[in-house]
Amino acid sequence: MRKTKLSAILLVMAVVLVMSACSNNKQLDNQSNEETKSKVVAEESEEKTFTLEELAKYDGQNGNPAYVAVDGVVYDVTSIGAWKDGKHNGLTAGKDLTEEIKTMSPHGVSKLSKLDVVGKIVESE
Ligand code: HEM
């Protein structure tokens, strides 16, 4: 009789353990779903496209954001101190500066890795 009671208690404990393990897994699943969703949103927003005419609006003047293009990739320099008001060592934002960064700058393309990518350049129709 005592043995039966003990095994009933053990059985209940086992069921509770299994149930709590399952609900934890569900939480983990939800978490990774959320992560995947935000990644997808971030990737989609990087896919913004600019023609050179559109890029020209992002010159850092009058409160506009400051974007520059190098090798077809558009970078955000709005919050970079060295690019205040869209100006940097005689350069102006809102342009393709591939030649300038490669031939005139002391740092070359090495500074690009610290910038946020906002999109890419497409040919105007
Ligand atoms: C697309 C073109 C360019 C981009 C995106 C760019 C970006 C940057 C960035 C992100 C910095 C670092 C700012 C910081 O750490 O706060 C920097 C610094 C600097 N840039 Fe440029 N730059 C460009 C072109 C040029 C050119 C053409 C020159 C010179 C003629 C130049 C000269 C400098 C100098 C002297 C510094 C400070 C020293 C250093 O950090 O190496 N840059 N640039």
Side-chain angles (χ1 to χ4, degrees):
M1 186 62 190
R2 238 178 148 189
K3 247 188 188 167
T4 334
K5 223 177 181 180
L6 195 66
S7 38
I9 291 172
L10 280 175
L11 188 69
V12 169
M13 278 170 74
V15 170
V16 169
L17 262 175
V18 168
M19 277 170 70
S20 74
C22 284
S23 76
N24 268 352
N25 271 350
K26 243 186 213 158
Q27 246 172 359
L28 277 180
D29 276 357
N30 280 345
Q31 217 175 350
S32 61
N33 269 350
E34 285 305 315
E35 275 167 20
T36 320
K37 248 187 247 163
S38 58
K39 231 186 197 168
V40 169
V41 170
E43 275 164 16
E44 273 170 7
S45 60
E46 272 175 27
E47 276 311 297
K48 203 165 186 301
T49 56
F50 300 81
T51 61
L52 286 176
E53 292 76 24
E54 283 164 350
L55 184 66
K57 294 176 210 154
Y58 299 90
D59 58 1
Q61 300 287 298
N62 309 314
N64 292 333
Y67 295 169
V68 295
V70 176
D71 287 330
V73 179
V74 180
Y75 298 90
D76 187 354
V77 291
T78 313
S79 56
I80 305 295
W83 274 93
K84 195 176 176 299
D85 298 328
K87 304 223 179 289
H88 179 71
N89 299 294
L91 299 173
T92 315
K95 294 179 182 164
D96 183 322
L97 299 174
T98 306
E99 279 304 304
E100 289 81 350
I101 197 171
K102 287 182 181 176
T103 61
M104 295 159 58
S105 80
H107 47 65
V109 293
S110 68
K111 296 285 179 195
L112 298 178
S113 58
K114 63 182 271 179
L115 302 177
D116 286 337
V117 172
V118 287
K120 59 181 179 191
I121 295 293
V122 288
E123 300 264 322
S124 50
E125 285 148 28

